Amino acid sequence: METLLLGIASAKAAETYLAAWHADSQQWGSGFSLATSSATAERVSTKTVRLIDLYGQFQDCDIAADEFGAMLQGYVAAGRAAEN
């Protein structure tokens, strides 16, 4: 997860990523992916997100979709707090 988030450099970028993730989830449900410069998150089912390594930094892995969403929201909140 950290590798994916390294590609999101600001609270605004994190908000944009989270909004795009929610919009794609609403539109497609599953079967879509959203990348940063360092990793890709693929919604493989309504319950599962696969984190995909782009540069050999970690082994691809699955995470619960609700846990992924909660981590993204936490990252946005932390970014906002750091900018204030």
Side-chain angles (χ1 to χ4, degrees), residues 18-65:
L18 182 60
W21 185 262
H22 285 303
D24 285 352
S25 293
Q26 289 286 344
Q27 183 173 1
W28 305 109
S30 63
F32 68 91
S33 62
L34 192 59
T36 67
S37 60
S38 51
T40 297
E42 177 183 358
R43 187 77 181 251
V44 295
S45 74
T46 57
K47 295 184 179 189
T48 305
V49 174
R50 179 165 296 134
L51 300 176
I52 302 168
D53 177 35
L54 298 179
Y55 300 106
Q57 298 174 7
F58 65 91
Q59 185 174 4
D60 296 354
C61 59
D62 292 348
I63 185 173

Side-chain angles (χ1 to χ4, degrees), residues 5-14 75 83:
L5 297 177
L6 286 173
I8 303 173
S10 68
K12 182 65 177 167
Y75 190 70
E83 290 182 354

Side-chain angles (χ1 to χ4, degrees), residues 11 14-15 71-84:
E15 289 171 357
M71 284 195 276
L72 283 178
Q73 289 183 323
Y75 190 70
V76 168
R80 286 181 190 150
E83 290 182 354
N84 291 327

